[in-house]
Amino acid sequence: QVQLVESGGGLVQAGGSLTLSCEARGAIYKINSMGWFRQAPGKEREGLSYISSYDNRIFSADSVKGRFTIARDSAKNTMYLQMNSLKPEDTAVYYCAATVPTPPNGLDPAEWDYWGQGTQVTVSS
């Protein structure tokens, strides 16, 4: 089993920055990739970016390229999402996820195996 624990959410003004963290616990050796998703009220869960645990290759959705940056620290078993130039429409619950043991089929939430509990990000105008 893999457990994912997010932290770092909160309230920020538009134009501000926030960094989310996701610590992986348990059978971390099984993890192929880790990614970030978000879900705003009344909307479907949206994939943002993911990173391979093997070669650090990154895939990001066009909606966040240039503003959000994914990274990982293998020594800490932790993945990060640095979010800059935040907008009110970025308000959502942000989730981290992991696939085991194979690579994900893109950012389709249905393809991901393990999920964190989510952390709320609210961007005020």
Side-chain angles (χ1 to χ4, degrees):
Q1 290 289 332
V2 173
Q3 298 84 42
L4 303 172
V5 181
E6 299 113 334
S7 61
L11 174 65
V12 63
Q13 289 188 333
S17 299
L18 207 58
T19 300
L20 305 182
S21 301
C22 174
E23 180 186 1
R25 301 173 180 173
I28 57 175
Y29 62 94
K30 294 183 178 180
I31 295 174
N32 180 281
S33 297
M34 294 179 69
W36 287 101
F37 297 75
R38 68 183 179 188
Q39 189 165 18
K43 295 188 176 181
E44 294 186 350
R45 192 164 296 188
E46 173 191 13
L48 303 176
S49 187
Y50 72 84
I51 183 168
S52 167
S53 297
Y54 292 104
D55 58 11
N56 286 327
R57 187 162 52 181
I58 290 170
F59 178 86
S60 296
D62 289 341
S63 60
V64 298
K65 285 181 179 177
R67 294 195 303 128
F68 292 5
T69 302
I70 192 171
R72 63 184 287 266
D73 184 337
S74 58
K76 296 181 179 180
N77 301 318
T78 300
M79 174 183 66
Y80 303 94
L81 185 68
Q82 172 68 43
M83 304 185 291
N84 298 324
S85 303
L86 284 162
K87 306 173 182 179
E89 50 264 44
D90 294 318
T91 295
V93 177
Y94 284 70
Y95 298 90
C96 68
T99 60
V100 300
T102 55
N105 183 18
L107 285 165
D108 180 356
E111 300 289 330
W112 291 72
D113 302 299
Y114 292 95
W115 293 86
Q117 79 284 359
T119 185
Q120 176 70 46
V121 171
T122 302
V123 184
S124 62
S125 58

